[in-house]
Amino acid sequence: MCGIVGILGQHEAAPMLVEALKRLEYRGYDSAGIATVNDGALDRRRAVGKLVNLSDLLVHEPLAGKSGIGHTRWATHGAPNLINTHPHQTRRVAVVHNGIIENYRDLRADLAKAGVRHQTETDTETVALLAQHYLDEGANPEEAARRTIARLEGAYALAFLFDGESDLMIVARKGSPLAIGHGTDEVYIGSDAIALAPMTDRVTYLEEGDCAVLTRSSITITDPDGNPVTREERTIQLDAARVDKAGHKHFMSKEIAEQPTVISETIAAYVVSNASDIKLPGDGIDFTEINRLTMASCGTAYYACLTAKYWFEQLAGLPVEIDFASEFRYRAPPVTDGTAALFVSQSGETADTLAALRYCEGKAQSILSVTNVPQSSIARESDLSMPIHAGAEIGVASTKAFTCQLTVLFLLALKAAHARGRITDEGLRAKLEAVRGLPAILNQAMGVEEHVRSISQRLAESRDALFLGRGLMFPIALEGALKLKEISYIHAEGYASGELKHGPIALIDEKMPVVVLAPRNALFDKTVSNMQEVMARGGNVILITDAAGARDASDGVWQTIVMPDVDFDLTPILYALPVQFLAYHTAVTKGTDVDQPRNLAKSVTVE
Ligand code: F6R
């Protein structure tokens, strides 16, 4: 995680660095800092906590200089305190870093033998000390940076700034993304091009192992072997305006409310106008040549994959394997002929998901991805990249990205079903009409918010909660539990309803709220039996169902949330809404930091 930025500019760098960091705060908000070269001398300002603390500090202790680097931190090595805050600076060099230097202990030991002492608990300080060590040996800045980089193992996006060098920055990338922005007699760098949006739309992405020496008038990129290379400059479309809350108290509430609109955009991007087919970007994929799908992702995106497994298996008859990306990448699973590998990621930069994708390169017949950032590493490294069109998602807890991911995955499963002859033209058209009706149904479902808010007042007093669902509702139960724990800090677990009696039922007592997701489909009676088992043991049930389900099963239930009717295949998209509201209002009642919950970051670029 962490976000890094840098500027060799014509104007004061500090305000621009802070503005760029604001756009990267989704990568971590444990602390923030900037360093500049002013009149040839390195100086820095750092503050613990959110970026606003650094901005406040800069009001009282301004930092001059037209070249600078900046960092927003998600702590990996060492507590989120001032001493561990980036930039890490020695006499002659300042460094910002995103990633993990895996061999930093060995490097530390080597430096200690040379009499060099560490002051922080971070892996990054080792990079600065190593560069200083080479400078002390007489290396020039470029040599010092290159010799340092050559010794690093692990993942990094790095930027070096040198004392006495106001027109020089050296950057490197391995495992963590880094974009170089082109200005007029100015150059910028950022972990994500979005950081550079107010300054430029002309961007070059470094590739794995690249190193770049930057001045205001030149950019020299070398590959891992040190050979000069040219990397493509692209003009990218980025929203330069700061995304605002549009009158909502939190980004999360805005993003929940946006779902009917953004899903209609997702649908418009994929469903042809007469609803007779689904158009995929580029050449699409020929599902008649695919006999197996393997999926790997993390967190909420993993639950989107889990939902899609039901769709691909039931609608398209395609066997699906699914795993957490962090497990998949080290499990060395055989990827056989005819396998398509599919990766889902809102950010498109999640380190484990990217590593899982790279594991499949050269093994899978086709690599597909579903992301919200078309310029991201995962999107760029896929054979077929399918954007979800959710718009920027700022709240750390994923909401609209999840339902847009589900929408794209459902359409892809329908495409597969049609290509494999499992659904007729008429059947496809009927399903696509149902999809097109979804935004209106979601709009109608927004009406449950007030009821959910009142339930949340009581839920906020709980220490634990359970979420139960069967079939397509099982992944939504998992997602509901994840949402609740990540923003309200209430311990919550999701279970497949049928698993309850195999252990978790021991947790049930009159203090345990149990959210049961049960639209009135073929599995309804089975889920209701499990719900009865909970109620028989005093558990307080919150039943989320439709009108028919409420009529048949509300007796004895503490609260029933009634959802509009929808095609049963689409229930996961609709039933995501009440569990999002439940988490949101519980967190608001508890007064937690909804958009930036403790210990989390929006984009997890370390493994
Ligand atoms: C939970 C959440 C995370 C992400 C996960 C993967 O609300 O947002 O669990 O889903 O970190 O992130 P992406 O989708 O960017 O790969």
Side-chain angles (χ1 to χ4, degrees):
M1 273 98 111
C2 305
I4 72 171
V5 295
I7 294 172
L8 295 177
Q10 300 294 337
H11 307 279
E12 286 304 309
M16 292 163 83
L17 289 168
V18 170
E19 183 55 34
L21 286 175
K22 265 187 206 154
R23 306 170 75 86
L24 291 187
E25 216 181 358
Y26 71 88
R27 288 172 160 262
Y29 33 80
D30 285 335
S31 64
I34 60 173
T36 61
V37 182
N38 181 30
D39 284 338
L42 271 179
D43 198 0
R44 64 178 168 174
R45 299 286 181 272
R46 302 178 299 162
V48 173
K50 297 201 177 152
L51 191 58
V52 65
N53 298 344
L54 176 66
S55 303
D56 289 349
L57 176 71
L58 286 164
V59 172
H60 304 291
E61 297 177 33
L63 190 61
K66 293 179 180 164
S67 1
I69 52 178
H71 189 269
T72 179
R73 180 167 189 241
W74 185 82
T76 57
H77 294 65
N81 57 24
L82 194 59
I83 193 136
N84 291 329
T85 297
H86 298 220
H88 289 287
Q89 189 180 325
T90 64
R91 277 176 294 112
R92 290 185 56 199
V93 61
V95 175
V96 286
H97 167 219
N98 166 34
I100 291 178
I101 306 300
E102 286 169 0
N103 62 336
Y104 83 102
R105 284 189 194 83
D106 297 341
L107 297 173
R108 257 186 185 213
D110 289 351
L111 284 164
K113 279 184 213 144
V116 178
R117 284 191 185 287
H118 281 74
Q119 286 171 350
T120 80
E121 301 156 90
T122 66
D123 51 342
T124 308
E125 186 194 16
T126 312
V127 180
L129 290 174
L130 206 52
Q132 178 66 51
H133 175 70
Y134 291 128
L135 289 167
D136 289 342
E137 283 188 353
N140 67 31
E142 184 178 337
E143 286 162 359
R146 285 192 187 279
R147 286 172 69 183
T148 302
I149 292 161
R151 296 198 54 192
L152 305 180
E153 288 167 21
Y156 50 78
L158 281 166
F160 297 81
L161 200 63
F162 299 90
D163 193 72
E165 302 281 351
S166 55
D167 193 22
L168 177 70
M169 189 188 308
I170 297 178
V171 296
R173 170 215 164 141
K174 188 176 153 224
S176 303
L178 195 66
I180 299 175
H182 308 268
T184 309
D185 298 323
E186 295 197 331
V187 63
Y188 325 101
I189 61 116
S191 298
D192 183 333
I194 202 167
L196 313 179
M199 299 176 273
T200 186
D201 60 356
R202 293 190 294 125
V203 164
T204 297
Y205 289 96
L206 289 190
E207 293 187 6
E208 278 300 271
D210 280 356
C211 174
V213 178
L214 313 176
T215 69
R216 285 177 179 77
S217 55
S218 67
I219 295 174
T220 312
I221 304 177
T222 46
D223 68 11
D225 300 323
N227 303 314
V229 281
T230 308
R231 304 292 182 210
E232 184 194 349
E233 180 184 318
R234 311 153 186 244
T235 303
I236 51 173
Q237 285 185 336
L238 290 167
D239 183 5
R242 283 282 297 147
V243 197
D244 70 11
K245 294 183 192 149
H248 288 259
K249 197 169 167 200
H250 299 101
F251 281 109
M252 183 178 177
S253 130
K254 173 189 167 238
E255 287 159 7
I256 292 174
E258 273 175 350
Q259 289 177 106
T261 312
V262 289
I263 285 180
S264 68
E265 282 163 24
T266 312
I267 295 167
Y270 287 93
V271 179
V272 301
S273 51
N274 63 358
S276 62
D277 203 358
I278 296 151
K279 54 176 189 289
L280 297 177
D283 295 336
I285 174 172
D286 183 355
F287 276 107
T288 60
E289 291 184 351
I290 300 298
N291 54 37
R292 178 167 293 273
L293 194 60
T294 189
M295 293 196 256
S297 291
C298 302
T300 288
Y302 170 81
Y303 298 143
C305 293
L306 190 55
T307 314
K309 176 180 165 76
Y310 290 80
W311 287 327
F312 278 105
E313 290 182 347
Q314 289 169 5
L315 298 171
L318 202 55
V320 175
E321 280 166 354
I322 169 168
D323 206 345
F324 293 117
S326 52
E327 289 298 313
F328 179 90
R329 60 182 294 192
Y330 294 115
R331 198 159 51 83
V335 179
T336 49
D337 273 358
T339 299
L342 172 57
F343 303 92
V344 178
S345 173
Q346 188 284 130
S347 62
E349 299 294 353
T350 298
D352 284 320
T353 310
L354 183 57
L357 180 152
R358 288 181 177 156
Y359 171 81
C360 290
E361 275 169 5
K363 299 187 184 79
Q365 181 149 329
S366 195
I367 295 189
L368 321 178
S369 66
V370 173
T371 77
N372 197 24
V373 185
Q375 311 84 19
S376 62
S377 304
I378 290 174
R380 284 185 287 126
E381 294 188 27
S382 309
D383 300 320
L384 173 63
S385 145
M386 287 161 284
I388 61 169
H389 301 282
E393 189 179 68
I394 307 294
V396 162
S398 191
T399 51
K400 63 175 181 171
F402 178 60
T403 49
C404 288
Q405 286 162 355
L406 290 179
T407 306
V408 172
L409 290 167
F410 181 67
L411 293 172
L412 195 65
L414 280 183
K415 185 88 183 164
H418 191 235
R420 291 163 60 82
R422 305 277 298 214
I423 187 171
T424 61
D425 290 353
E426 271 322 297
L428 178 66
R429 193 183 295 272
K431 285 291 176 197
L432 291 180
E433 284 301 350
V435 170
R436 292 225 286 208
L438 196 52
I441 297 172
L442 282 164
N443 240 335
Q444 197 188 334
M446 290 289 163
V448 302
E449 181 170 8
E450 222 14 66
H451 183 196
V452 176
R453 201 179 61 76
S454 66
I455 297 171
S456 301
Q457 313 290 311
R458 278 269 305 277
L459 195 60
E461 292 162 15
S462 308
R463 210 189 55 178
D464 310 282
L466 291 183
F467 287 71
L468 303 180
R470 259 178 203 266
L472 283 167
M473 287 298 106
F474 169 46
I476 306 305
L478 294 169
E479 169 63 1
L482 175 63
K483 282 296 87 102
L484 188 67
K485 66 185 135 193
E486 75 180 313
I487 60 168
S488 76
Y489 315 145
I490 290 174
H491 169 241
E493 299 295 339
Y495 284 101
S497 311
E499 272 295 296
L500 189 72
K501 60 178 88 56
H502 299 288
I505 201 162
L507 297 170
I508 305 288
D509 63 15
E510 53 294 335
K511 291 202 199 94
M512 178 66 86
V514 182
V515 179
V516 178
L517 293 140
R520 193 157 196 350
N521 58 14
L523 299 174
F524 179 76
D525 291 335
K526 305 253 175 242
T527 309
V528 168
S529 300
N530 303 134
M531 186 176 90
Q532 299 294 349
E533 290 155 13
V534 169
M535 293 196 300
R537 287 157 181 85
N540 293 310
V541 167
I542 301 165
L543 172 63
I544 308 182
T545 184
D546 46 29
R551 195 186 53 231
D552 292 350
S554 283
D555 278 356
V557 164
W558 172 44
Q559 294 285 339
T560 305
I561 298 169
V562 184
M563 302 299 291
D565 290 335
V566 71
D567 182 297
F568 285 130
D569 283 333
L570 298 174
T571 47
I573 306 176
L574 183 65
Y575 281 59
L577 205 69
V579 299
Q580 293 168 351
F581 277 139
L582 212 50
Y584 174 73
H585 286 293
T586 304
V588 170
T589 306
K590 289 193 72 179
T592 54
D593 191 339
V594 171
D595 284 332
Q596 294 185 322
R598 69 186 179 203
N599 306 338
L600 291 173
K602 183 79 185 152
S603 179
V604 184
T605 56
V606 294
E607 57 172 299

